[in-house]
Amino acid sequence: MHRKYASSDYSVMLAMTWSLGEYVMGGKRGKATGVNKFWWVAFLDVYGFSNIVVDLSRKVGRSTATAYQPLEDMHQKLKEAVDEGRRRLSATYEGIATLAVSDCTFLVAPIVTTDTAAAVMSMLAAINSTRVVLTAFTTYGFIMRGGVACGPGVFFDKATGTLLGAPVLRAVAYEKVLPPPLVWLPERELRSVDEQVSSPASPVSRTLFHDDPTIAETRDGGLLATRVILPGEDDTFRERIEEQYWEHVVSGVDTVARAYRDALSILDRLNVGKPREKAE
């Protein structure tokens, strides 16, 4: 199995995450303001959700007691996925905040840049907290596409739901510009972390990742060097991607089928999951 990150033993990092979050966030859980100046912002969006809602809306009957039941059921399913992600996150990570709006989730995590070790530890916490949320949504049958950006000047208040900053804009842009339903962490964002580290013993990206970045094609035909962040259950996620690919390539939307095909190609390059066996 492809090892996505340089360390598979997170026990020390997990044990330290609470104190890390309290330190950089001034003890104010869920409010990303204070002493930390550098942030991880992940924007995660349920892939194809608008089409799902439109299809369910078309099936609504006229003024019956159960007319809107399919939409209500979908809302309940989405709510449970959001709640499950937060539950799993709170069980392991403190000081990392989420903001959910409809089918979109923002995840904001502090990055400590005092030295390479601190940067790597906080980046591991951010990467794995993002994977926790992705895994929760996958459990409920949702596939998410998203982008991640790192940088200063992020202001987030969970009480009011306000979130702003240049990294927020870049994270949303990455989700839009790369079609395959995966979560993207561009190499340029990792390098921005390296530039902030006070005592760089080695590049953070090379400490976190063994292999070279994936080269992904953007929507306008450009190329972008990027890392891919996946849910924790590789085989289950791949099976879901394959199911959606075959559904759309046979009787769905052709551009969506292409996006799923491209996602499968990237998973193949990363050696993620087991390809479906071909029928004899």
Side-chain angles (χ1 to χ4, degrees):
M1 181 64 65
H2 172 78
R3 292 180 66 194
K4 303 169 200 61
Y5 314 112
S7 172
S8 59
D9 182 6
Y10 304 131
S11 56
V12 175
M13 180 272 293
L14 295 177
M16 297 177 69
T17 302
W18 185 88
S19 58
L20 169 70
E22 289 298 295
Y23 167 71
V24 299
M25 299 177 78
K28 297 178 181 180
R29 182 178 176 188
K31 188 175 182 181
T33 59
V35 298
N36 192 67
K37 303 299 181 183
F38 216 77
W39 301 97
W40 163 289
V41 179
F43 172 68
L44 310 173
D45 182 47
V46 175
Y47 188 62
F49 192 76
S50 296
N51 289 334
I52 293 173
V53 173
V54 169
D55 289 342
L56 290 177
S57 298
R58 287 172 180 165
K59 298 175 182 178
V60 170
R62 290 187 178 182
S63 301
T64 64
T66 60
Y68 291 93
Q69 192 63 47
L71 284 169
E72 183 177 344
D73 292 344
M74 180 55 65
H75 177 258
Q76 181 62 28
K77 183 179 179 181
L78 180 64
K79 178 181 178 297
E80 290 176 3
V82 171
D83 288 343
E84 180 65 12
R86 287 175 173 168
R87 185 192 65 77
R88 296 186 186 191
L89 205 58
S90 65
T92 310
Y93 299 93
E94 297 266 358
I96 295 177
T98 60
L99 171 65
V101 181
S102 185
D103 62 309
C104 304
T105 297
F106 284 97
L107 187 146
V108 183
I111 302 174
V112 180
T113 57
T114 52
D115 53 54
T116 299
V120 168
M121 187 181 77
S122 53
M123 285 289 285
L124 277 172
I127 289 170
N128 283 284
S129 62
T130 304
R131 297 187 76 200
V132 164
V133 173
L134 292 175
T135 303
F137 273 83
T138 301
T139 300
Y140 281 86
F142 294 117
I143 294 173
M144 306 195 86
R145 185 174 67 188
V148 178
C150 304
V154 174
F155 297 88
F156 173 41
D157 189 280
K158 194 169 184 178
T160 59
T162 53
L163 173 66
L164 62 87
V168 179
L169 301 179
R170 293 201 306 277
V172 173
Y174 291 139
E175 189 272 334
K176 302 300 182 186
V177 78
L178 293 165
L182 300 168
V183 177
W184 311 97
L185 169 58
E187 193 74 6
R188 63 183 62 164
E189 299 296 335
L190 288 170
R191 292 190 178 184
S192 72
V193 178
D194 288 332
E195 292 169 358
Q196 291 294 316
V197 175
S198 303
S199 303
S202 61
V204 172
S205 59
R206 285 298 174 187
T207 307
L208 286 170
F209 301 93
H210 283 305
D211 52 3
D212 292 329
T214 294
I215 307 302
E217 184 173 347
T218 63
R219 196 175 296 278
D220 60 1
L223 298 175
L224 183 66
T226 182
R227 306 292 175 170
V228 180
I229 301 176
L230 301 169
E233 300 167 354
D234 290 348
D235 289 338
T236 300
F237 178 67
R238 186 189 179 97
E239 288 173 4
R240 182 68 176 155
I241 293 287
E242 288 184 335
E243 288 171 1
Q244 289 300 301
Y245 165 69
W246 284 109
E247 179 177 329
H248 283 279
V249 81
V250 172
S251 59
V253 181
D254 54 356
T255 54
V256 173
R258 181 187 179 93
Y260 278 115
R261 185 201 65 180
D262 292 346
L264 287 172
S265 295
I266 291 171
L267 296 182
D268 285 341
R269 292 204 297 271
L270 297 176
N271 194 27
V272 172
K274 298 178 181 179
R276 178 186 294 179
E277 294 184 0
K278 295 181 179 180
E280 295 294 337

